Amino acid sequence: MSTAQAKVVYGADQPFQSAEIQRRELHPHDVLIEIKYAGICHSDIHSAKGEWGPVQYPFVPGHEIAGVVAAVGSEVTKHTIGDRVGVGCMVDSCGKCIHCHDGEEQYCLEGMTGTYGSVDRYGQYTQGGYSSHIVVTEDFIVKIPDNISLEAAAPLLCAGITTYSPLRHWDAASGKKVAVVGLGGLGHMAVKFAHAMGAEVTVLSQSLKKKEDGLKLGASAYYATSDAETFKQLAGSFDLIINTVSAQLDMNAYLSLLAVDGTLVNVGAPAEPLPVQVFSLIGKRRSFAGSSIGGIRETQEMLDFCAEHGITPEIEVISADRIDEAWERVLNSDVKYRFVIDISTL
Amino acid sequence: MSTAQAKVVYGADQPFQSAEIQRRELHPHDVLIEIKYAGICHSDIHSAKGEWGPVQYPFVPGHEIAGVVAAVGSEVTKHTIGDRVGVGCMVDSCGKCIHCHDGEEQYCLEGMTGTYGSVDRYGQYTQGGYSSHIVVTEDFIVKIPDNISLEAAAPLLCAGITTYSPLRHWDAASGKKVAVVGLGGLGHMAVKFAHAMGAEVTVLSQSLKKKEDGLKLGASAYYATSDAETFKQLAGSFDLIINTVSAQLDMNAYLSLLAVDGTLVNVGAPAEPLPVQVFSLIGKRRSFAGSSIGGIRETQEMLDFCAEHGITPEIEVISADRIDEAWERVLNSDVKYRFVIDISTL
């Protein structure tokens, strides 16, 4: 075992405390990463508070991890000491099922191992990236392209891939009309990606407060969903809607904005069920779908796409003593557009 | 105007009465059809009772129409007197929008004209097929293949195409696992079609009462949904689920039966919204979709597919004085599997 510094939560509503945690010794295919930056994802908060199911404390969140390889196991071939690397929401999977075989480990039939809050295949409870080091098997580590800084890379590992993957899967491309619901950490990445893929992008946000930002990020239109006129005006307009909001929206209103054969994809995960009016699906052969992060291969593809198109998230780098405050601000939607923890301040 | 005999409803809970109704004079592209058989669809009942929105009385239901061409307008080229023809759920559309252009008139952007309960482009309220004659523009009339009897053809025009279209759209084929929820008028056609398309078909029915029928129709497995074990046993199994039930089922239970990238398509239309747990979509990139009948071209394709594969619905032919009784039996799910009215008894 090796020791790592971490920011730890000891209960649902407890503030962070500094503590030492243990990381496993390197197995032959393991890589020890010295973490440089960790993004703050809304999921960290949901998970730490037990809102998505029971959680075991002490708990270290963080699944947007960027760092440098510090050591490698005896049989590692994919990474070398000093490599700039990233880890996202998962750190392992069965490796044998059809979905692992297809490079979509997030849909592993045995269940993927989450970066935190999971039990790994050594029987240990996984602890996330608000930490100085992490040990991950080499297949679940991606390479960060040279022209992307480590602090900018971190949020790509969850906010990035979570929006990139459904945009690819449902083919956001030239000639397609894509709407992005919510302009937060995920939403602002969805706008950048969809625009870079050639789609015509509209932001649907509660108010027009961030309109200027949205247009700069690549949207060609921006509407307030607090205005009932928006839903009349845009009825039947979109081929694809990416809903990044995990609050309980009126899904039927949003479904009414889809054109024939359009799909609304939720990447936000409200805890309560959403009432869906079946007539709004039938009348235009619409679909209501969900999507979970993306596979490792696709995560690498996304990073390379970012490097090629000069795409990085808008971030606010904070020191580790400000995580509690940052979480508060995330809950109040007061972030443009992603907090990233400078792990050197741990 | 010409006169037709019809079975007419004068109020939401009124029994049928015989009456004369008017059909329009033939415009250049119109065809007068002498109706021989009309299927009884659950939609007829929902509509006549005003459960799907306000309805204007007197009201003549019926959108599964099979008959013979009795007269043609001056510019009709597609049909000739004596042709065996069918009319389904729609009798017109704008003819200009992208969906009409693509042969999917059911998704016409101006709204298709329903066979009954619509206002047509001459400003007249449309009246359906429980009637001796109907006038329809030639483009909305399909040809009934020689080896399909008129009484068997009638239910294909709604129950047939409503299930055939989503099975084609979501690619029910060899290697695919398809479940059909509900073994009624639509469900029994879905089983026959999916089986003929090469898919492995499972019926999910409330009880095992119709199990023997289901297996004869082409299913290779049959489960009772009243048994909670069914949902455990079949979790994550199906590529496609066609839900033909318009009652309020627990959608999350059914969504849990889908494999990764699976789709549950509702062709039944419950009036109340269905609560959907977003996590059940996200975890396996599942979709919840709806589908409405099919275009005219696809309806013809479906009839030709039936002719080729020897597929016809299981029907019970009744005389016109038994429609009220048949409606009662439909409401009690006491029909194997479609009532067809012999219009000669009108």
Side-chain angles (χ1 to χ4, degrees):
Chain A
M1 306 280 262
S2 66
T3 297
Q5 299 301 312
K7 283 289 186 183
V8 179
V9 176
Y10 288 93
D13 291 308
Q14 302 290 309
F16 277 93
Q17 296 189 31
S18 295
E20 281 193 348
I21 59 168
Q22 299 299 311
R23 298 297 190 182
R24 68 172 181 256
E25 284 308 313
L26 297 191
H27 291 86
H29 286 283
D30 277 350
V31 173
L32 174 70
I33 299 169
E34 185 187 338
I35 301 176
K36 300 291 190 183
Y37 294 94
I40 292 178
C41 177
H42 205 142
S43 306
D44 297 348
I45 307 176
H46 285 298
S47 300
K49 292 183 183 295
E51 291 167 3
W52 282 353
V55 63
Q56 182 180 314
Y57 301 100
F59 181 83
V60 181
H63 58 205
E64 295 185 336
I65 297 169
V68 171
V69 173
V72 295
S74 58
E75 292 178 26
V76 167
T77 58
K78 296 184 173 168
H79 308 286
T80 313
I81 291 175
D83 279 2
R84 304 164 76 247
V85 294
V87 174
C89 300
M90 56 185 171
V91 289
D92 212 347
S93 71
C94 82
K96 287 170 252 155
C97 75
I98 181 167
H99 304 301
C100 289
H101 189 263
D102 289 351
E104 298 206 302
E105 303 86 354
Q106 76 275 31
Y107 301 123
C108 173
L109 292 178
E110 286 188 10
M112 53 95 157
T113 307
T115 302
Y116 56 73
S118 273
V119 174
D120 68 19
R121 38 211 66 225
Y122 306 102
Q124 284 186 304
Y125 194 67
T126 60
Q127 302 285 16
Y130 294 12
S131 171
S132 64
H133 296 82
I134 191 167
V135 175
V136 179
T137 189
E138 61 176 331
D139 288 345
F140 283 75
I141 298 170
V142 289
K143 292 181 189 305
I144 296 172
D146 289 341
N147 66 345
I148 301 177
S149 71
L150 291 181
E151 58 265 45
L156 297 175
L157 280 316
C158 172
I161 186 62
T162 299
T163 49
Y164 181 89
S165 183
L167 286 167
R168 283 291 190 213
H169 186 76
W170 279 278
D171 195 27
S174 176
K176 294 290 185 75
K177 292 188 172 189
V178 174
V180 175
V181 183
L183 195 69
L186 272 69
H188 93 291
M189 288 311 305
V191 171
K192 289 190 179 206
F193 285 137
H195 176 64
M197 291 172 187
E200 186 185 321
V201 185
T202 297
V203 174
L204 303 173
S205 186
Q206 238 181 332
S207 75
L208 296 178
K209 268 195 298 192
K210 302 185 198 162
K211 179 171 180 178
E212 204 175 314
D213 280 15
L215 300 179
K216 266 190 213 150
L217 295 169
S220 57
Y222 200 108
Y223 289 85
T225 54
S226 53
D227 181 354
E229 273 305 307
T230 292
F231 291 92
K232 286 185 199 159
Q233 207 174 331
L234 299 178
S237 292
F238 301 108
D239 300 300
L240 179 61
I241 299 177
I242 304 287
N243 178 20
T244 70
V245 174
S246 55
Q248 271 217 294
L249 302 180
D250 174 0
M251 271 307 115
N252 301 303
Y254 288 88
L255 287 168
S256 76
L257 304 183
L258 289 172
V260 169
D261 286 329
T263 301
L264 187 158
V265 184
N266 249 66
V267 292
E272 295 300 308
L274 302 173
V276 171
Q277 186 58 261
V278 177
F279 269 106
S280 49
L281 299 175
I282 289 180
K284 290 189 186 285
R285 198 165 50 195
R286 291 161 170 150
S287 294
F288 178 38
S291 175
S292 173
I293 51 173
I296 298 298
R297 190 167 61 213
E298 193 173 45
T299 304
Q300 188 65 59
E301 176 193 310
M302 177 272 306
L303 287 167
D304 297 343
F305 182 89
C306 288
E308 187 189 333
H309 291 268
I311 292 175
T312 50
E314 309 297 310
I315 59 174
E316 181 175 340
V317 177
I318 61 164
S319 54
D321 56 350
R322 292 179 56 211
I323 303 176
D324 290 311
E325 175 198 333
W327 276 28
E328 275 307 310
R329 286 181 54 196
V330 168
L331 292 174
N332 294 324
S333 303
D334 176 23
V335 49
K336 285 184 171 181
Y337 282 89
R338 203 65 156 178
F339 288 115
V340 175
I341 306 163
D342 178 350
I343 296 295
S344 72
T345 64
L346 216 60
Chain B
M1 306 281 261
S2 66
T3 298
Q5 298 302 312
K7 282 290 185 181
V8 180
V9 175
Y10 287 93
D13 292 307
Q14 302 290 310
F16 277 93
Q17 296 189 32
S18 296
E20 281 193 349
I21 60 170
Q22 299 299 311
R23 299 294 189 183
R24 68 172 182 256
E25 284 308 313
L26 297 192
H27 292 86
H29 287 282
D30 278 348
V31 172
L32 175 70
I33 299 169
E34 185 187 339
I35 301 176
K36 299 291 189 183
Y37 293 94
I40 292 178
C41 178
H42 205 141
S43 306
D44 297 347
I45 306 176
H46 285 300
S47 300
K49 291 184 182 296
E51 291 167 2
W52 281 354
V55 62
Q56 182 179 314
Y57 300 100
F59 180 83
V60 181
H63 58 203
E64 295 184 337
I65 297 168
V68 171
V69 173
V72 295
S74 57
E75 292 177 28
V76 167
T77 59
K78 295 182 173 169
H79 308 284
T80 314
I81 291 174
D83 280 1
R84 302 165 78 246
V85 293
V87 174
C89 300
M90 55 186 173
V91 289
D92 211 348
S93 71
C94 82
K96 287 171 251 154
C97 74
I98 181 168
H99 304 300
C100 288
H101 188 262
D102 289 349
E104 298 206 303
E105 303 87 354
Q106 76 274 32
Y107 301 123
C108 173
L109 292 179
E110 286 188 10
M112 54 95 158
T113 307
T115 303
Y116 56 74
S118 275
V119 175
D120 68 20
R121 38 213 65 228
Y122 305 102
Q124 282 186 307
Y125 194 68
T126 60
Q127 302 285 15
Y130 294 11
S131 170
S132 65
H133 295 81
I134 191 168
V135 174
V136 179
T137 189
E138 60 175 332
D139 287 345
F140 283 75
I141 298 169
V142 288
K143 292 183 190 303
I144 296 172
D146 288 341
N147 65 345
I148 301 178
S149 71
L150 291 181
E151 58 266 45
L156 297 174
L157 280 316
C158 172
I161 186 63
T162 298
T163 50
Y164 180 90
S165 182
L167 286 167
R168 281 292 191 213
H169 186 76
W170 278 277
D171 194 26
S174 178
K176 295 289 185 74
K177 290 186 173 191
V178 174
V180 174
V181 183
L183 195 68
L186 272 69
H188 93 291
M189 289 310 305
V191 172
K192 290 190 179 207
F193 285 137
H195 176 64
M197 290 172 188
E200 186 186 321
V201 186
T202 297
V203 175
L204 303 173
S205 185
Q206 240 183 329
S207 74
L208 296 179
K209 267 193 299 190
K210 302 184 198 161
K211 179 170 179 179
E212 204 176 317
D213 280 15
L215 299 179
K216 266 189 215 151
L217 296 168
S220 58
Y222 199 108
Y223 289 85
T225 55
S226 53
D227 181 354
E229 274 305 307
T230 292
F231 291 92
K232 288 184 198 160
Q233 208 174 330
L234 299 178
S237 294
F238 300 108
D239 301 300
L240 179 61
I241 299 177
I242 303 288
N243 178 20
T244 70
V245 174
S246 55
Q248 270 216 294
L249 301 181
D250 173 0
M251 272 306 115
N252 302 302
Y254 288 89
L255 287 168
S256 76
L257 304 183
L258 289 173
V260 169
D261 286 329
T263 301
L264 187 158
V265 184
N266 248 66
V267 293
E272 295 301 309
L274 301 175
V276 172
Q277 186 57 261
V278 176
F279 269 105
S280 51
L281 299 175
I282 288 180
K284 290 190 186 284
R285 197 164 52 197
R286 292 160 170 151
S287 295
F288 178 38
S291 174
S292 173
I293 50 174
I296 297 298
R297 191 167 59 212
E298 194 174 44
T299 304
Q300 187 65 58
E301 177 193 310
M302 177 271 307
L303 288 168
D304 297 343
F305 181 88
C306 288
E308 188 189 333
H309 292 267
I311 292 175
T312 49
E314 309 296 309
I315 59 174
E316 181 175 341
V317 177
I318 61 164
S319 54
D321 57 351
R322 291 180 55 211
I323 302 177
D324 290 309
E325 175 199 335
W327 276 28
E328 275 306 311
R329 286 181 55 196
V330 168
L331 292 174
N332 295 325
S333 303
D334 175 23
V335 48
K336 284 185 173 181
Y337 282 87
R338 203 66 157 179
F339 287 114
V340 174
I341 306 162
D342 178 350
I343 295 296
S344 73
T345 63
L346 217 60

